[in-house]
Amino acid sequence: MISSRTLSTAGQYLFLSVMAFLSIFPFIWMMISSTNTSVQIMGGKVSLGSAFATNVTNFFTLVDVPLVFWNSAKVAILATVLTIVVSSFAGYGFEMFKSKWRDRIYSLILITLMVPFAALMIPLFMMMGRAGLINTHIAIMLPSIASAFIIFYFRQSTKAFPTELRDAAKVDGLKEWQIFLYIYVPVMRSTYAAAFVIVFMTNWNNYLWPLIVLQSNETKTITLVVSSLASAYYPDFGVVMIGTILATLPTLAIFFAMQRQFVQGMLGSVK
Amino acid sequence: MATARTGGLKRYYDVNGWLFIAPSILLIGIFLIYPIFRSLYLSAFTGKGMMLKFGGFANIVRLWNDPVFLHALSNTIIFFVVQVPIMIVLALLLASVLNNDRLKFIGFFRTAIFLPCVASLVAYSVLFKSMFAADGVVNSALMAIGLASGPIGWLTEPFWAKVLVILAITWRWTGYNMIFYLAALQNIDRSIYEAARIDGVPAWARFIYITIPMLKPVILFTTIISTIGTIQLFDEVYNLTEGRGSPANSTLTLSLYIYNVTFRYMPSYGYAATMSYVIVLMVALLSFLQFYAARDRS
């Protein structure tokens, strides 16, 4: 006799296996396809082929890979660091200091979470045009630095920060910025790690705003390049696959490198 | 602590507090609040490119009589109504199963199911386009196991194109929502579940009567975030259809149409700004309804 407990465990494994397969398959498909020709990919070939070297060569001929990578890395890393600095300041400020006006401003910031980017992009584009920033990386980064979501995330996580530490430091004569820098930042490092993963991915993968602002090939990021290769009249999907691999590798690497801290940080934010 | 602040000390604290939040207030003011009002102002103007003239409600009248806009609006609503509930339920189920530490390989399953969130929206849209091609791997697989008698026109038939978009966003975002649930579940005291188990409460009832009520605030949060995301849908449809929302506008979303009206056709900023306010209103209304539905009745 199979007990209902065993049956339900088997059911859970089956459910998880199917979902895990569906989740991973597109990544496997991406890697297999990078070794096949465009015709083979569109024909659904699921075995390794021999076109990998050709695809890589073609990709490197079509695309100035170091430049595109440098553009993406520069934008993503700078924007991420600035976002985290500004948002953790705000998270600390909103949670540690209480006043009527600050709470009102915080509510207003939370409401802006609901404003869709479509409602901003036309005025933002006109602003950047007037400031002469079209086709620059500064224009890409500026609107993304103050992120209502990350401010919210930092404030939620700060609730778990032991205030006794702050009080003790104050008794020891530390200034507020010293408390922040020497006590808060080290204590909250898993929160910072999780924020880094989320913000870096968002910036690295950002598409719509760069699509609007970046117009020359010298400034384009990898997501724009992959998209334009794939929307050609006769896209070479072998080459496109090399692009998707290169576009995905950095976020994949960062996720795996910081997985443990990421999960810890997420746990902290919902307490 | 707060009660102890008085006089000069209070002022000192206040200055510090304002300094910490000043950079974000400044940036949000310039790059979020100002554009929102600017958009509203623009929506009262008509004309092409920079040749704007005051038009009052002309843009709203134009919206009403624009079949393409109405098509984009209805597509956006369909994506939202169908996709968000599917994803939330799936994410909840996955989280509650993945919360069971007794299962083997749990770390592997958690990582595998979260992995799609790492993919860029552009990269996976391109991958899906090749997987769902007429002779592609998905159609071959479906035909091999007998689920389809012939190739399905994922990219050529209006109905299936919508299904493809829904499948794509579900693939990308379910794991993301699941992480929030999993994090919340890890914070629930295990003894509540143990007590229910000893009392003979079956697993499904524990899920409905313990897990879901405990997760209500997180569910509300993820539902609102997902609603906003789905209503703003752009990257996927742009890259699956080369920016056209094809076939026959069946995957044209509001964001894609606004982009086309602003940057692809003759630029019509005022009209595009008016359409963007439709999205603002939809998001506001839906978020309000979700808050309302989730409020505590006790």
Side-chain angles (χ1 to χ4, degrees):
Chain A
M1 280 294 286
I2 306 165
S3 73
S4 68
R5 182 76 181 268
T6 322
L7 204 66
S8 112
T9 310
Q12 292 183 12
Y13 277 120
L14 184 68
F15 176 57
L16 288 182
S17 305
V18 170
M19 295 312 285
F21 173 76
L22 293 177
S23 296
I24 297 179
F25 183 75
F27 292 97
I28 300 172
W29 170 252
M30 171 174 83
M31 285 184 275
I32 292 175
S33 296
S34 69
T35 67
N36 287 317
T37 64
S38 194
V39 175
Q40 288 170 325
I41 295 167
M42 297 318 267
K45 185 169 180 284
V46 275
S47 53
L48 291 174
S50 53
F52 184 70
T54 327
N55 290 337
V56 173
T57 317
N58 288 344
F59 185 81
F60 276 73
T61 337
L62 279 169
V63 177
D64 185 345
V65 179
L67 177 75
V68 168
F69 240 80
W70 166 243
N71 288 341
S72 269
K74 187 172 86 180
V75 171
I77 292 171
L78 267 176
T80 304
V81 170
L82 289 170
T83 306
I84 288 181
V85 169
V86 167
S87 308
S88 63
F89 272 173
Y92 182 85
F94 279 118
E95 186 57 28
M96 289 298 172
F97 306 89
K98 304 250 162 33
S99 88
K100 198 170 66 186
W101 274 103
R102 262 196 291 275
D103 286 342
R104 284 177 185 167
I105 293 170
Y106 185 68
S107 311
L108 187 69
I109 289 180
L110 284 193
I111 291 174
T112 66
L113 258 180
M114 296 178 191
V115 179
F117 184 71
L120 306 173
M121 66 186 187
I122 299 158
L124 278 178
F125 180 74
M126 293 166 90
M127 268 166 81
M128 296 303 170
R130 268 198 304 275
L133 290 173
I134 295 298
N135 213 8
T136 67
H137 290 139
I138 297 172
I140 301 295
M141 291 186 272
L142 278 177
S144 70
I145 293 171
S147 153
F149 180 73
I150 301 299
I151 293 173
F152 167 79
Y153 168 76
F154 268 104
R155 180 171 182 181
Q156 285 302 107
S157 307
T158 306
K159 289 187 198 294
F161 178 75
T163 39
E164 303 82 37
L165 275 179
R166 177 160 168 256
D167 296 338
K170 226 176 285 178
V171 172
D172 289 344
L174 257 64
K175 294 206 169 58
E176 203 64 61
W177 67 266
Q178 290 171 315
I179 298 174
F180 181 86
L181 198 61
Y182 300 125
I183 300 175
Y184 178 83
V185 174
V187 167
M188 304 298 286
R189 58 183 180 278
S190 63
T191 301
Y192 276 89
F196 182 84
V197 174
I198 296 173
V199 183
F200 182 84
M201 282 178 190
T202 313
N203 282 304
W204 179 271
N205 295 332
N206 196 5
Y207 180 66
L208 175 52
W209 182 232
L211 179 70
I212 294 169
V213 174
L214 301 180
Q215 289 158 348
S216 77
N217 283 330
E218 285 69 46
T219 53
K220 277 187 177 155
T221 56
I222 185 121
T223 43
L224 292 177
V225 169
V226 170
S227 167
S228 70
L229 284 177
S231 61
Y233 259 109
Y234 294 104
D236 183 337
F237 272 93
V239 172
V240 170
M241 288 302 161
I242 302 295
T244 58
I245 288 179
L246 288 177
T248 316
L249 271 183
T251 49
L252 214 57
I254 283 180
F255 173 68
F256 278 115
M258 302 182 77
Q259 202 180 6
R260 177 171 287 166
Q261 290 93 319
F262 175 75
V263 173
Q264 259 179 8
M266 293 296 282
L267 284 176
S269 70
V270 285
K271 267 181 189 149
Chain B
M1 243 199 340
T3 49
R5 290 190 217 150
T6 41
L9 208 57
K10 181 175 162 50
R11 181 167 302 154
Y12 165 77
Y13 281 136
D14 277 344
V15 169
N16 275 296
W18 286 108
L19 283 177
F20 273 104
I21 59 176
S24 40
I25 294 178
L26 202 69
L27 286 162
I28 286 183
I30 300 173
F31 298 111
L32 252 155
I33 312 278
Y34 168 73
I36 295 170
F37 287 107
R38 183 74 196 168
S39 234
L40 189 62
Y41 171 78
L42 273 174
S43 67
F45 287 82
T46 58
K48 300 281 175 203
M50 290 297 167
M51 310 272 287
L52 293 171
K53 61 177 193 293
F54 186 76
F57 293 109
N59 282 322
I60 295 172
V61 176
R62 183 173 164 194
L63 276 185
W64 211 245
N65 298 308
D66 180 352
V68 182
F69 166 76
L70 295 175
H71 208 127
L73 180 67
S74 75
N75 287 342
T76 304
I77 293 172
I78 291 170
F79 287 140
F80 155 70
V81 171
V82 177
Q83 198 267 337
V84 175
I86 293 177
M87 177 174 62
I88 298 293
V89 171
L90 199 58
L92 264 171
L93 282 175
L94 281 167
S96 64
V97 175
L98 287 173
N99 193 36
N100 181 355
D101 284 327
R102 271 188 282 269
L103 291 177
K104 289 198 176 64
F105 314 116
I106 200 76
F108 163 76
F109 284 123
R110 280 182 192 161
T111 307
I113 290 165
F114 182 73
L115 215 53
C117 310
V118 175
S120 89
L121 304 178
V122 170
Y124 93 82
S125 308
V126 170
L127 282 178
F128 271 58
K129 199 160 96 179
S130 69
M131 284 165 60
F132 286 81
D135 303 320
V137 65
V138 173
N139 275 342
S140 314
L142 287 176
M143 276 146 64
I145 56 173
L147 277 176
S149 51
I152 294 171
W154 299 100
L155 294 157
T156 49
E157 285 170 37
F159 172 77
W160 291 111
K162 278 200 181 71
V163 174
L164 173 58
V165 171
I166 289 169
L167 285 176
I169 8 181
T170 309
W171 180 81
R172 173 62 169 70
W173 293 103
T174 304
Y176 185 78
N177 287 300
M178 180 202 78
I179 283 288
F180 287 100
Y181 299 147
L182 198 56
L185 282 173
Q186 304 257 305
N187 286 328
I188 295 179
D189 193 351
R190 285 294 159 100
S191 58
I192 300 173
Y193 284 99
E194 291 304 323
R197 208 199 304 272
I198 291 162
D199 287 347
V201 179
W204 64 267
R206 273 176 288 174
F207 181 72
I208 304 264
Y209 295 111
I210 303 177
T211 308
I212 291 183
M214 290 281 220
L215 294 187
K216 214 158 109 179
V218 191
I219 295 175
L220 175 66
F221 175 72
T222 51
T223 311
I224 290 176
I225 293 282
S226 308
T227 302
I228 298 170
T230 315
I231 289 177
Q232 297 197 51
L233 197 62
F234 177 84
D235 300 24
E236 288 88 342
V237 283
Y238 186 93
N239 283 291
L240 280 169
T241 66
E242 285 95 38
R244 287 192 295 268
S246 58
N249 286 340
S250 62
T251 58
L252 185 77
T253 60
L254 285 176
S255 290
L256 183 51
Y257 189 44
I258 293 172
Y259 174 84
N260 285 342
V261 164
T262 316
F263 300 106
R264 185 176 269 208
Y265 312 147
M266 248 319 244
S268 191
Y269 291 129
Y271 186 48
T274 312
M275 283 195 282
S276 72
Y277 257 83
V278 173
I279 301 190
V280 173
L281 290 177
M282 276 173 80
V283 169
L285 182 70
L286 286 167
S287 304
F288 172 75
L289 287 177
Q290 283 161 358
F291 266 117
Y292 189 77
R295 82 196 188 290
D296 252 327
R297 288 180 190 84
S298 56

